[in-house]
């Protein structure tokens, strides 16, 4: 199984022209991944290649946690929900490598199922992404409107502006009052 996974990863990395250079810059490293619900695996970088092997003990970097938290870490840099053990520089290099991967998924699919089905699958994936983006935008807008307009938990922009103007007016009135008091005092 590890050999098949290693071959699959190698084929995917070959579609990214810069991946080998970035791996070369990482040097020779061992990385242990324990990402629930997947079984633990080991990765070894050497000579610009990435090989999958049995989990190494000890490893230069050990990453454990839930797969979803790991994907969030790769995409955003937020490490909450995962545990990183090892040098911070290795963790950053590995994250940067994964975040900058530019795999040609359509090319890989076309090798397995042919050009036309691969194109249709990738179009479907892109349409799903667009639906998800639209949903996210609508949910954010609806939540903002609810919090500002319907629930009254947060003020809307005009109410906030009016409040700031009132505070400024009160501050100015107080300053004028203090000046008058200073003139009256002996």
């Amino acid at each position: 199984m590890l050999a098949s996974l290693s071959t699959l990863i190698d084929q995917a990395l070959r579609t990214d022209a810069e991946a080998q250079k970035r791996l070369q810059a990482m040097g020779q490293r061992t990385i242990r991944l324990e990402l629930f619900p997947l079984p633990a695996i080991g990765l070894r970088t050497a000579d610009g290649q990435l090989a999958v092997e049995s989990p190494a003990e000890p490893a230069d970097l050990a990453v454990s946690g839930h797969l979803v938290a790991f994907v969030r870490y790769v995409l955003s840099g937020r490490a909450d929900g995962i545990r990183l053990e090892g040098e911070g520089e290795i963790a950053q290099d590995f994250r940067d490598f994964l975040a900058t991967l530019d795999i040609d998924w359509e090319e890989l699919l076309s090798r397995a199922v042919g050009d036309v089905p691969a194109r249709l699958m990738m179009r479907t994936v892109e349409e799903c992404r667009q639906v998800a983006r639209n949903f996210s935008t609508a949910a954010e807008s609806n939540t903002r409107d609810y919090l500002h307009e319907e629930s009254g938990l947060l003020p809307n922009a005009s109410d906030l502006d009016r409040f700031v103007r009132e505070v400024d007016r009160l501050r100015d009135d107080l300053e004028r009052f203090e000046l008058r008091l200073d003139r009256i005092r002996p």
Side-chain angles (χ1 to χ4, degrees):
M1 181 181 116
L2 293 178
S4 298
L5 183 58
S6 192
T7 301
L8 181 64
I9 289 173
D10 185 52
Q11 289 175 357
L13 293 178
R14 285 185 194 181
T15 67
D16 181 350
E18 299 295 316
Q20 188 174 10
K21 292 176 188 173
R22 292 191 307 271
L23 279 171
Q24 187 78 39
M26 284 180 66
Q28 188 168 344
R29 305 284 187 206
T30 56
I31 301 165
R32 179 183 176 89
L33 295 177
E34 294 179 12
L35 304 173
F36 177 78
L38 303 175
I41 62 168
L43 300 174
R44 184 175 36 82
T45 64
D47 302 321
Q49 302 296 316
L50 180 67
V52 179
E53 54 189 30
S54 295
E57 286 289 340
D60 296 316
L61 173 65
V63 181
S64 58
H66 200 281
L67 180 61
V68 173
F70 179 71
V71 170
R72 184 177 49 241
Y73 167 67
V74 170
L75 296 177
S76 70
R78 291 180 32 217
D80 50 312
I82 61 168
R83 198 166 105 211
L84 301 166
E85 293 179 14
E87 294 180 36
E89 183 180 337
I90 297 171
Q92 187 63 44
D93 288 347
F94 183 56
R95 182 200 164 282
D96 290 346
F97 169 75
L98 293 174
T100 57
L101 276 176
D102 187 20
I103 296 172
D104 187 348
W105 295 106
E106 188 171 340
E107 171 65 24
L108 290 173
L109 275 172
S110 70
R111 292 178 194 168
V113 298
D115 290 340
V116 174
R119 182 72 190 133
L120 290 172
M121 287 178 188
M122 292 308 293
R123 187 178 304 151
T124 302
V125 167
E126 187 53 41
E127 288 171 1
C128 289
R129 282 184 184 165
Q130 188 59 45
V131 167
R133 280 191 290 267
N134 292 345
F135 177 78
S136 175
T137 301
E140 180 182 333
S141 176
N142 291 339
T143 302
R144 187 180 322 108
D145 289 347
Y146 174 77
L147 290 173
H148 287 287
E149 305 299 331
E150 294 178 31
S151 72
L153 292 173
L154 297 176
N156 61 34
S158 63
D159 291 342
L160 189 58
D161 287 342
R162 186 173 47 251
F163 175 76
V164 169
R165 283 194 310 272
E166 293 282 329
V167 168
D168 288 344
R169 187 182 61 76
L170 277 173
R171 185 189 62 236
D172 294 344
D173 289 350
L174 182 61
E175 287 175 5
R176 283 192 295 275
F177 181 73
E178 286 176 343
L179 287 173
R180 286 182 186 155
L181 272 180
D182 288 344
R183 280 190 251 154
I184 294 175
R185 290 186 191 152

